Amino acid sequence: MWLLYTLLVFLPFGYAAQQQPLRSDIHTGPKRVAVIGAGAGGSFAAYELRKLAEANGTPLNITVFERNPYIGGRSTTVDVFDDPAYPIELGASIFVQVNHNLVNASRDLGLEVRSADYARPRETAESIGIWDGEEFVFTLKNSYSWWNIARLFWRYGMAPLRTQNLMKTIVGRFLRLYEEPLFPFHSLSEAAVALDLINATSSPGENFLQRNQISDLFAREIIQASTRVNYGQNLPLIHGLESMVCMATDGAVSIDGGNWRIFDGALKSSGAEVRVNTTVTEITRNEGSVRITSKPSSDADAVQPVDESEFDEVVIAGPLQYSGVSISPPLQHIPDEIPYVKLHVTLLASPHKISAKFFGLGVNDHAPETILTTLPKDLNLGANPKGVGPADFWSISTLRSVDRTVLEDGTERQEKHYVYKIFSPERPTAEFIAQIFDLDYDNGTGSVVVPQGNTSIADLPKSEISWFHEKVWNPYPLLYPRVTFEETLLAPGVWYTGGIESFISTMETSALMGRNVAALMVQSWQKQEQTKNEDTSPSSASGRAEL
């Protein structure tokens, strides 16, 4: 590792740019750019390209291909009861104050920003509880922030303050990536060295926190609860940089109507032609251009019309390993296939609150509205990716309440239903859902029959679970420690945003990489133009004749 670190430190920072091959300029019209993926990376690549092209007077056509029927990638919403008045985030739920790309775009696009938990009912004394599968090890009160702070320091000593200071240091270093001289960066590996973040990415979070004198108790109960809800990973697996990113929660907000609206707005502002429900099947690299072959995504078994279009550049804005795109001739730099987390997201509505009984609380107690999880003190699962432990889920959150019209004895009445989101490594069974809402009861008028075994939420009565939606994601990689990251330019004319996923996996960092690729692309055009002008200048021609 020391040899690798030394090589990275002493490698000239601009080396990737110096080695980038110039492409012959065959197409003389507007620059033609294809972007594969309409999530954070793809939308911000198009957004930044348009800004830079207009600033430089470069004619530009952008085409965005998205295999899903919607824009936003892993940021999308589902309507509770199919009512657009109640959109719920299915994927990425919040962004924070230091997410400058998302914050600035939200402002510039005129989007309404709200506190991330503005709709939470706040009907219990505790807003957050951290459960280790046996007991709540810590809870935060809905009010009395001073009391929460006092309790933190009483239980964990100086660890909260040390964590806050370390987080600010790490985030401060990372934010240098947004500015010259580091931005735009050709090599994320070299940038990580220049930012002195290699020590954080090369170590498991557990070791990184220990080296920085943060107690094991605070790390396990508080920081690990955050890495589990955000990434489904424990501290011995996830690297130190992402462990700190999880603690940067100041100013958590979301967009009214869904965070996908940032990316939709960015694409509209870019003037791109957006082809949703269109799957790119092949990229053919030619000298000076790339050919994109695509077809409609729907009805995969039917014979579909195939489209072929020529572009000057292509941006692959998502993990290449999940794209299903064949590329010929082979890329010069092929990204590693890395394991991604399988996350089950369950959204549901019910007239019932979370069961205090299930969590071992008293008859008169109420369960916290948001329940995060960690591991018990004596259980260490190491770097095992199957690390959920006895809790069996990563988190349960009460998102909001909704008034539901129900018909009873021929009369309509309003009934309050609560909307929940569950993150878990496996699909929740009907038995588990019944338990967390204490549906196994007999109230004198009949009993709820709780299905046993491998049954689904659909097996529960609609009077108890009035609405639900299930989704399986591969939302982020297993963030194992590492010191090198994927190349940004995979081959002449083929750019890649997915390399930042193993560094920091967020909407913000994907947006940053989209902007970075756009800036590098425009720089390459300027270099090509400069080289062409030099080659056709009288002095250049004279020099060639003398040789």
Side-chain angles (χ1 to χ4, degrees):
M1 182 176 292
W2 172 250
L3 176 60
L4 177 59
Y5 180 85
T6 304
L7 287 172
L8 287 172
V9 167
F10 290 103
L11 195 66
F13 194 73
Y15 181 81
Q18 296 163 12
Q19 296 300 308
Q20 177 180 318
L22 294 177
R23 309 178 71 211
S24 59
D25 189 10
I26 296 175
H27 179 70
T28 57
K31 291 293 184 183
R32 305 162 300 176
V33 178
V35 179
I36 303 174
S43 63
F44 269 74
Y47 189 46
E48 187 73 5
L49 272 172
R50 179 60 63 190
K51 289 182 180 180
L52 295 175
E54 289 182 350
N56 294 317
T58 303
L60 174 65
N61 292 331
I62 307 171
T63 304
V64 178
F65 297 87
E66 172 55 58
R67 64 185 172 189
N68 290 307
Y70 59 86
I71 288 169
R74 288 168 287 185
S75 177
T76 184
T77 55
V78 175
D79 297 332
V80 181
F81 299 122
D82 298 321
D83 186 341
Y86 304 117
I88 298 296
E89 294 285 358
L90 182 59
S93 299
I94 65 169
F95 56 101
V96 295
Q97 185 177 343
V98 296
N99 293 161
H100 297 325
N101 288 305
L102 300 183
V103 169
N104 293 341
S106 301
R107 179 198 62 223
D108 296 342
L109 296 170
L111 300 175
E112 184 177 350
V113 178
R114 290 182 168 180
S115 171
D117 64 346
Y118 79 96
R120 187 164 54 81
R122 292 179 172 82
E123 294 178 357
T124 63
E126 285 79 24
S127 60
I128 298 176
I130 299 172
W131 194 57
D132 68 1
E134 300 170 357
E135 62 178 345
F136 284 106
V137 295
F138 194 79
T139 59
L140 290 174
K141 301 291 183 181
N142 257 316
S143 54
Y144 307 114
S145 59
W146 61 268
W147 179 240
N148 287 328
I149 294 172
R151 291 172 63 244
L152 275 169
F153 281 98
W154 177 263
R155 181 168 178 81
Y156 303 112
M158 297 302 292
L161 182 60
R162 290 194 182 107
T163 301
Q164 181 78 354
N165 291 338
L166 180 60
M167 180 272 293
K168 288 182 177 179
T169 298
I170 293 295
V171 169
R173 292 175 186 169
F174 168 72
L175 289 177
R176 290 171 49 206
L177 201 58
Y178 288 58
E179 303 170 350
E180 294 182 347
L182 295 184
F183 184 88
F185 46 93
H186 294 272
S187 167
L188 181 56
S189 301
E190 295 173 23
V193 173
L195 295 167
D196 193 23
L197 291 175
I198 288 294
N199 286 335
T201 65
S202 64
S203 301
E206 183 178 57
N207 297 349
F208 182 71
L209 295 172
Q210 288 172 350
R211 288 204 311 269
N212 285 277
Q213 299 181 316
I214 294 170
S215 70
D216 291 343
L217 183 65
F218 186 76
R220 177 175 61 83
E221 293 186 355
I222 303 298
I223 301 178
Q224 186 162 263
S226 185
T227 64
R228 285 164 65 94
V229 67
N230 283 293
Y231 294 104
Q233 295 164 64
N234 294 319
L235 286 174
L237 185 156
I238 194 169
H239 61 61
L241 177 61
E242 200 74 276
S243 301
M244 283 294 95
V245 168
C246 289
M247 302 306 292
T249 58
D250 287 349
V253 295
S254 61
I255 298 298
D256 185 28
N259 293 328
W260 63 269
R261 296 184 64 203
I262 302 176
F263 312 121
D264 181 64
L267 286 176
K268 287 176 178 174
S269 180
S270 76
E273 176 190 350
V274 182
R275 302 180 186 179
V276 296
N277 204 29
T278 302
T279 297
V280 172
T281 59
E282 187 174 355
I283 298 173
T284 305
R285 299 168 48 223
N286 303 308
E287 185 177 357
S289 69
V290 289
R291 179 180 301 160
I292 303 295
T293 303
S294 64
K295 65 179 184 179
S297 301
S298 57
D299 196 10
D301 294 333
V303 176
Q304 297 285 3
V306 173
D307 178 80
E308 292 185 349
S309 303
E310 293 287 331
F311 297 91
D312 298 295
E313 318 268 354
V314 59
V315 180
I316 302 172
L320 181 59
Q321 67 193 63
Y322 291 125
S323 69
V325 178
S326 66
I327 303 175
S328 60
L331 297 168
Q332 295 175 357
H333 303 283
I334 300 176
D336 294 334
E337 286 200 19
I338 57 177
Y340 271 66
V341 170
K342 184 176 79 169
L343 180 71
H344 287 258
V345 181
T346 305
L347 303 176
L348 63 93
S350 173
H352 303 287
K353 292 186 177 181
I354 298 172
S355 168
K357 174 184 174 182
F358 178 80
F359 291 99
L361 301 175
V363 176
N364 297 322
D365 293 328
H366 298 281
E369 288 183 329
T370 295
I371 298 171
L372 311 183
T373 64
T374 189
L375 297 176
K377 179 176 62 175
D378 298 325
L379 178 62
N380 186 346
L381 299 179
N384 187 343
K386 297 184 181 299
V388 69
D392 288 334
F393 64 92
W394 302 118
S395 64
I396 302 174
S397 303
T398 310
L399 303 181
R400 64 175 306 143
S401 60
V402 174
D403 288 332
R404 175 76 165 159
T405 301
V406 296
L407 187 65
E408 186 174 310
D409 297 329
T411 304
E412 289 187 350
R413 64 179 178 84
Q414 293 295 305
E415 184 177 74
K416 180 182 286 189
H417 286 231
Y418 299 92
V419 181
Y420 302 94
K421 177 188 282 189
I422 302 173
F423 287 163
S424 57
E426 302 293 339
R427 185 187 191 192
T429 64
E431 183 178 7
F432 172 76
I433 296 295
Q435 288 174 343
I436 63 172
F437 293 110
D438 197 19
L439 302 184
D440 187 13
Y441 66 93
D442 187 329
N443 61 6
T445 61
S447 62
V448 173
V449 178
V450 179
Q452 303 293 312
N454 190 26
T455 52
S456 75
I457 192 172
D459 296 313
L460 293 169
K462 284 189 68 70
S463 59
E464 311 298 335
I465 304 299
S466 50
W467 172 87
F468 71 92
H469 182 92
E470 296 175 291
K471 173 70 176 181
V472 181
W473 290 105
N474 293 116
Y476 27 72
L478 291 170
L479 291 150
Y480 291 114
R482 58 187 299 166
V483 295
T484 58
F485 303 92
E486 303 299 344
E487 296 293 330
T488 304
L489 187 66
L490 302 182
V494 182
W495 304 85
Y496 189 51
T497 68
I500 205 164
E501 288 273 286
S502 294
F503 184 69
I504 300 175
S505 181
T506 62
M507 291 187 293
E508 171 69 12
T509 47
S510 292
L512 172 65
M513 188 58 93
R515 287 187 56 237
N516 181 68
V517 161
L520 291 173
M521 191 184 302
V522 172
Q523 280 187 358
S524 74
W525 296 343
Q526 292 171 336
K527 180 180 286 189
Q528 290 169 18
E529 188 66 25
Q530 179 183 358
T531 301
K532 183 169 65 175
N533 292 338
E534 290 174 353
D535 288 345
T536 57
S537 67
S539 59
S540 176
S542 173
R544 286 196 296 271
E546 290 172 3
L547 285 173

